[in-house]
Each structure stands twice: as C-alpha cells, then as structure tokens.
Amino acid sequence: MSTVVNPNAPGTGPREAAPAPVTGRRSAKPLMSDRARSERKLGWMLAGPAFIVMLLVTMYPILQALWDSFFSFRLTDPGNKEFVFLGNYATVLSDIVFWRDLGVTVLITVVTVIVELVLGFALALVMNNAIRSTRGLLRTAILVPYGIITVVSAFAWFYAFDITTGYVNNWFSWVPGIGPDFNWFANTWSALFVIMASEIWKTTPFISLLLLSGLAQVPSEYTEAARVDGATWWQRMSRVILPNMKAAIMVAVVFRALDAFRIFDNIFIMTQGQYYTETLSLLAYRTSIGRLEIGLGSAISVVLFVCVLLIAFLAIKVFKVDLAGAGKGR
C-alpha cells in the first residue's frame, strides 16, 4: 500500500538553505584558561613592582630632558633662561656636525651588529655541539670578555694600539702599511676600526649567549627529520634552524643595536671624538657637560632617544615575531 506524500505538508518540501554566515564580524577572542590567567597574574605580581620602579626611574630624566630642550640656557647662567620651543631642535637638525655624527653612529651600529651576529652564531654552534664534559669550561671562556667592564676593555684596547705603549704595531709589522710609527688613532678609518673591533670583542659573547638559548629551543626532531630526508647542512640551517630561532635573533639584534647606537665609552677613551669619530652620545656629552648648553644638549639627547625607539620599532616590524604568542591557547 503506497503512501501519498503531500508536498505542501510541513517538513516534506525541499529543505531551506542554511543561512549564510555573517561576514565582516571580528572573530571571537579565545578564552584564556585558568592556568594561563593565574600565570599572568603571578607574572605581574613578581615583575610589576620592579617594572614600576624602573619606569619611574627612566621616565623622570626623559621628561626632564624633553622639558629642558624647549629652553635656551647655559648652566653657568640659569637666570637667562629663554623659552624657544622647537628652536633647539631646528638648530640641531640644521647642523652638519649632527648629521656627520649620526652617520658615524649608524656605521658603527650596522657593522658591529652584523659582525657580532655572524661570530656570535658561530660561537653558539660551537657551544651547542661541544662535548658535554667541556661545555661548561668552553662557555665560561667565551663569556669572559663580556664580564669585563667596558671602560677597562676600552683602556686595554687603547694601550694595545697606542703608538707609545702598544704592541700591535710590532706584532703586525709584516702587514703592509703598519709599522712602528703607525698611529691608529690619528686617522678616521683606522681609529674606527679599533673602536669597532673593541666593541665586537666585548659584546660578541652576549650575542652568542642569546643565540645559544635560541638553538636550545629548536626541536631536535626537526633537524633529524631534515637529515633523514637528505637535506644538506645549509638547507637544515636555512630552512629549519634559523626560522625557528627568529625570536632569539630578533632579541639579540634589538638589544645589541640599541646598545651600539648609544656607544660612548670606547670613543671617549680612545679618540675623544677627534678625526671624525664622534657619535651622537659623545656630541650630547660635549654639548651638555663641555659647553654647558643644557637646552641644546637635551635636544640632542631627545633625538637620540627617538632614534633608539625607531630602531626597536623597525626591528619588530621586520622580524614580525609575536613573543607573547607562545603562551596562547593553554
């Protein structure tokens, strides 16, 4: 016996199409687990007081320098203080000495950071692949230069290359152009070479330590799988190890670039900024302390601070690393 189905009966007709998803709405933010929430709260409780104190300590001189940069006055004549607003910045940015010192600062920063990154990565590979029984001694030996105070390191390099007390000229007298009477600090490029070499020697261990921590975060399963698939050393390095070390490389580059851009001790001890080796930090020092021009010196310091912020911003944009993303989804 057949059953007649009424096409107009409810539920017997063609199914209605499901409503289309609404587009253009912002995706819902994933809920944070209780564990992640408690870890974040604990982190703020531990680091919050130190962060607040550090913020207060650093913000006061920055705001004071910003305020002083709006005035034209000398420390020896504080009563003759004149509000010039952006006049000091116009003076600084229109001075050829500022742009020359900026070029020297950028040159030192770029060269030292690149060389330190290459050497530091090589040292990190050596420490990571060393025999377990020798790793502690090897890491201690590599980190010794970084433990030396910067002023002490600068004086050591100065006396080594000085024409009267140094031994470098005698050791490298076989190199064309280097003799007993060669003065390293009487020429722009030779003086910059010594300055950058001392900076590289001092801070490369710091880079290697950061990159070593990045190497430790690369899963060994990745490299083993690449080796089994027949990948060469360079392919494993460029496609497996380096991409997984992007966060460590970014931190190393940012930290060293910010530190190198503010270089002061080495130049102050070796050349006093002579022979076109002056940087922005030394220019700010000479203006504020040497000439007692507080307004102009503060303006230079503020511009230096803005350059440091710009370096950090560009580095973060170039590497595109989300350092906070590792804790999501717990």
Side-chain angles (χ1 to χ4, degrees):
M1 182 177 181
S2 62
T3 304
V4 179
V5 179
N6 185 4
N8 296 326
T12 58
R15 295 184 179 180
E16 297 181 357
V22 179
T23 58
R25 292 184 180 178
R26 187 175 298 176
S27 59
K29 187 177 180 180
L31 297 177
M32 185 180 298
S33 64
D34 294 338
R35 178 184 175 186
R37 192 179 295 107
S38 61
E39 288 183 356
R40 172 175 292 187
K41 182 179 179 180
L42 178 62
W44 275 110
M45 290 176 61
L46 295 175
F51 174 75
I52 294 174
V53 172
M54 185 175 63
L55 185 64
L56 294 176
V57 171
T58 50
M59 286 303 296
Y60 172 75
I62 293 174
L63 295 177
Q64 184 65 46
L66 180 62
W67 174 256
D68 290 338
S69 65
F70 295 146
F71 295 88
S72 174
F73 72 101
R74 295 176 61 90
L75 194 60
T76 55
D77 188 17
N80 190 17
K81 189 174 182 179
E82 181 184 0
F83 180 76
V84 294
F85 193 41
L86 299 179
N88 287 327
Y89 293 97
T91 302
V92 169
L93 297 178
S94 62
D95 192 349
I96 190 175
V97 176
F98 169 81
W99 294 106
R100 184 193 66 199
D101 294 353
L102 178 62
V104 173
T105 306
V106 172
L107 174 66
I108 293 176
T109 301
V110 172
V111 172
T112 55
V113 170
I114 292 177
V115 175
E116 289 170 12
L117 194 62
V118 175
L119 295 180
F121 186 69
L123 292 176
L125 289 176
V126 171
M127 290 187 289
N128 188 59
N129 298 325
I131 301 175
R132 184 177 298 274
S133 59
T134 62
R135 285 181 182 178
L137 180 61
L138 182 62
R139 293 175 183 180
T140 302
I142 290 177
L143 292 175
V144 165
Y146 188 66
I148 300 176
I149 302 175
T150 306
V151 175
V152 176
S153 172
F155 270 114
W157 279 79
F158 172 75
Y159 288 130
F161 283 84
D162 187 58
I163 193 172
T164 57
T165 62
Y167 52 83
V168 173
N169 286 348
N170 293 328
W171 284 10
F172 295 93
S173 58
W174 53 272
V175 178
I178 299 179
D181 299 330
F182 181 72
N183 189 352
W184 291 85
F185 302 107
N187 179 270
T188 301
W189 295 110
S190 60
L192 287 177
F193 171 79
V194 178
I195 291 170
M196 290 187 288
S198 64
E199 187 75 3
I200 292 171
W201 177 83
K202 172 72 171 60
T203 54
T204 296
F206 174 71
I207 294 287
S208 66
L209 189 63
L210 293 177
L211 296 181
L212 179 61
S213 64
L215 279 174
Q217 298 298 321
V218 179
S220 59
E221 295 82 1
Y222 292 178
T223 56
E224 290 297 331
R227 185 181 288 107
V228 170
D229 290 341
T232 62
W233 179 88
W234 174 249
Q235 289 174 337
R236 295 196 304 269
M237 188 65 60
S238 60
R239 299 184 182 182
V240 178
I241 297 178
L242 291 179
N244 286 279
M245 289 181 57
K246 186 181 291 187
I249 295 174
M250 188 205 72
V251 172
V253 170
V254 170
F255 275 34
R256 271 305 302 144
L258 299 184
D259 193 30
F261 199 83
R262 299 178 291 106
I263 184 173
F264 175 83
D265 309 64
N266 299 35
I267 300 175
F268 182 79
I269 291 171
M270 295 182 186
T271 63
Q272 292 282 329
Q274 299 178 0
Y275 302 104
Y276 304 107
T277 59
E278 187 178 64
T279 57
L280 290 183
S281 296
L282 189 58
L283 177 62
Y285 170 83
R286 284 198 310 105
T287 306
S288 301
I289 307 301
R291 295 165 45 191
L292 301 179
E293 292 282 355
I294 304 301
L296 281 176
S298 299
I300 298 173
S301 300
V302 172
V303 173
L304 178 61
F305 175 72
V306 173
C307 292
V308 168
L309 290 181
L310 184 61
I311 291 175
F313 176 78
L314 291 177
I316 293 174
K317 287 295 183 182
V318 168
F319 283 93
K320 298 179 180 179
V321 175
D322 183 13
L323 296 178
K328 294 181 179 179
R330 286 185 178 181

